[in-house]
Amino acid sequence: MSKRKISIIVLIVAILVVCIPGVYASQMKKNKVFYKNKVIVLMYHHIDKTESGATISPARFGTHMKLLDEKGYNVISIEQFAEFMKKKEQVPNNAVVITFDDGYDSFRQYAVPIMDKYSMVATHFIIGKSSDLHNVKTAHLTWEDMRDMKQAGHSFYSHTYDLHDYGPLNEDASKTGPKLSNPLYLADKGRVETEKEYVARITEDLSLIENRLKEELNNDYQIIAFPFGSFNEKSKEVLSDLGVTLFMTTRPGINKPGSDEVYRINAGTPKLTANKFLERLKEFHD
């Protein structure tokens, strides 16, 4: 055998020695089962280079997505998740849904390019008024941007039209509560809303956001994330009558089929380092 052929064989063997273990290890990660027939839903809010409260950096979010990919989690769409919760759809092992709240434009600017690297999609729960009027300091998504991102597989649903706020519950406003889940104090009438007035107020808002989502995005599904995670049976009844079928809470947990209330894990905090992020996920493994 010629020296040239020997050199080629040696080179091929060297390449196989280097590459095969890496490919095998990667496949093992993908095949590892943490949980079956369950789904973890992650919750994020704002992304900015300066972290605080519910705001994390692009680098931290990128680390979270990289770990999901490397460790063998499978990101699915919220529409597949909705069918799973109705017991009509199977999901892969280690299934994860990525969600954002509030409609910040940082989703488009930072989150989407990072998720694109890993072929992941997410759902964003928007505040309708902020996207209609852009009446807030922090930039919010435009309907045009949402349409473009929907074409790429992302989706957008309700965080109410204008109920993402606290309102007065008594005369001097010493007590306040989320507007969606509380009858408010009416200063001009000197009393708290009647149940009829409360239902009329939230119905008007919730109908408006569903209509806007249909008009702008032609949504087939109707899903809501409760502002501040706060809701009551009456608000849920109003939403059900409007066609909403899935309700996002802020309660941590892992989701099994058959429920319309969804547990979500708050991953959008600067406190979650890479290791703590993985530890948080493992809390909900079998």
Side-chain angles (χ1 to χ4, degrees), residues 112-127:
V112 169
I114 290 169
M115 289 185 289
D116 283 349
K117 291 167 57 177
Y118 305 103
S119 300
M120 295 175 178
V121 295
T123 289
H124 206 135
F125 295 98
I126 68 160
I127 301 167

Side-chain angles (χ1 to χ4, degrees), residues 163 198-208 238-239 242:
L163 295 178
Y198 163 65
V199 169
R201 174 174 59 82
I202 67 171
T203 299
E204 181 180 11
D205 182 283
L206 299 170
S207 298
L208 179 55
V238 168
L239 286 157
L242 291 172

Side-chain angles (χ1 to χ4, degrees), residues 43-257:
M43 176 178 64
Y44 294 93
H45 287 81
H46 188 34
I47 297 180
D48 189 81
K49 293 176 182 178
T50 301
E51 296 187 318
S52 63
T55 300
I56 62 171
S57 67
R60 190 177 303 280
F61 181 73
T63 296
H64 290 184
M65 298 304 102
K66 184 172 185 286
L67 289 171
L68 289 177
D69 181 68
E70 288 182 348
K71 300 300 180 181
Y73 292 91
N74 295 294
V75 174
I76 64 172
S77 72
I78 202 165
E79 292 78 19
Q80 184 178 356
F81 173 65
E83 293 302 312
F84 163 78
M85 294 298 276
K86 291 190 288 186
K87 301 183 178 180
K88 293 183 178 180
E89 180 91 23
Q90 295 296 310
V91 294
N93 297 331
N94 314 331
V96 171
V97 172
I98 301 169
T99 69
F100 280 75
D101 286 3
D102 298 342
Y104 294 117
D105 186 59
S106 60
F107 175 76
R108 176 195 61 83
Q109 184 179 2
Y110 295 117
V112 169
I114 290 169
M115 289 185 289
D116 283 349
K117 291 167 57 177
Y118 305 103
S119 300
M120 295 175 178
V121 295
T123 289
H124 206 135
F125 295 98
I126 68 160
I127 301 167
K129 187 175 181 179
S130 297
S131 285
D132 269 348
L133 303 181
H134 298 279
N135 58 337
V136 285
K137 291 181 180 180
T138 305
H140 277 62
L141 295 167
T142 68
W143 292 109
E144 183 177 0
D145 286 335
M146 285 185 263
R147 283 191 289 273
D148 289 343
M149 288 182 281
K150 186 176 179 182
Q151 290 295 316
H154 304 285
S155 54
F156 304 87
Y157 294 100
S158 170
H159 206 29
T160 76
Y161 189 81
D162 190 27
L163 295 178
H164 192 281
D165 200 357
Y166 281 73
L169 304 183
N170 57 6
E171 184 176 4
D172 63 359
S174 59
K175 184 178 181 183
T176 62
K179 288 183 175 181
L180 174 62
S181 56
N182 290 279
L184 302 180
Y185 184 82
L186 303 173
D188 60 334
K189 296 182 179 179
R191 60 173 174 80
V192 173
E193 288 176 316
T194 64
E195 181 174 293
K196 184 177 180 180
E197 289 169 329
Y198 163 65
V199 169
R201 174 174 59 82
I202 67 171
T203 299
E204 181 180 11
D205 182 283
L206 299 170
S207 298
L208 179 55
I209 182 62
E210 291 303 328
N211 288 337
R212 293 296 291 125
L213 288 165
K214 186 68 176 177
E215 290 168 355
E216 296 287 352
L217 303 176
N218 197 29
N219 279 0
D220 292 322
Y221 291 79
Q222 290 176 262
I223 305 170
I224 189 170
F226 293 118
F228 317 110
S230 181
F231 67 101
N232 55 29
E233 285 307 310
K234 183 57 67 173
S235 61
K236 192 175 172 186
E237 180 183 320
V238 168
L239 286 157
S240 296
D241 289 344
L242 291 172
V244 177
T245 58
L246 205 58
F247 306 89
M248 300 282 154
T249 74
T250 56
R251 299 192 301 258
I254 192 166
N255 297 283
K256 302 176 184 178

